Amino acid sequence: MIGSLMMCVSVLVLLFGMLAGIAMGIQHDFTLGPAHAHLNLVGGVLLFLFGLYYRLVPEAGSMLLARIQGWLHIVGGTLFPAGVAVVLLKGPSFEAAPIVGSLLVVVAMTLFTVVVFRTSRA
Ligand code: HEM
């Protein structure tokens, strides 16, 4: 079920994001702070919340729209912060990555909005 997959990916993302936060602290180098923040919040916390909704409302979790939304958010929610990190380290010539990642996340969020409006009273 897509909700379970999303929660499993989310906890792995959060584990990685927290370890990256510890690495930043140890190195006293906070260059990647924005990438860390977006990975944890968009790739981790949001993904977990979406997954919880799909588990809480099985009617929503079984929709094709939910599966498309879940995969789009998994891909976009990791590509976006990874792209932010690459831009911070290598410069603006890599801006396509965060742009594509953020657009995927917005499309996924739009799909989630549709799912919630269709199922919130289930
Ligand atoms: C072991 C866990 C974590 C550690 C060690 C850690 C460490 C850090 C460090 C070192 C910074 C940079 C601070 C600075 O720029 O002065 C930071 C920023 C931040 N972290 Fe974490 N973090 C952890 C978990 C999380 C989680 C779970 C979230 C969100 C769910 C989060 C969200 C943020 C945000 C929003 C910022 C601000 C980024 C910015 O100002 O650009 N962090 N964290």
Side-chain angles (χ1 to χ4, degrees):
M1 191 211 196
I2 191 68
S4 309
L5 173 75
M6 291 167 87
M7 288 193 285
C8 289
V9 173
S10 160
V11 290
L12 292 177
V13 165
L14 282 168
L15 195 58
F16 177 82
M18 287 180 182
L19 291 172
I22 291 175
M24 279 195 302
I26 291 172
Q27 293 168 355
H28 297 284
D29 181 354
F30 308 120
T31 311
L32 293 179
H36 158 85
H38 284 90
L39 182 68
N40 281 333
L41 290 169
V42 179
V45 176
L46 266 187
L47 190 64
F48 198 87
L49 287 176
F50 293 147
L52 261 188
Y53 183 79
Y54 291 145
R55 291 298 303 270
L56 196 69
V57 186
E59 185 189 322
S62 61
M63 290 169 76
L64 173 65
L65 219 53
R67 259 176 284 156
I68 299 172
Q69 188 269 335
W71 278 109
L72 277 181
H73 192 91
I74 288 171
V75 175
T78 42
L79 178 63
F80 174 38
V84 170
V86 175
V87 168
L88 288 169
L89 294 173
K90 304 277 181 193
S93 48
F94 292 90
E95 270 173 358
I99 290 172
V100 172
S102 61
L103 290 176
L104 288 178
V105 167
V106 172
V107 172
M109 189 65 222
T110 308
L111 296 185
F112 189 68
T113 306
V114 174
V115 171
V116 169
F117 271 77
R118 281 194 189 166
T119 59
S120 60
R121 276 180 286 170

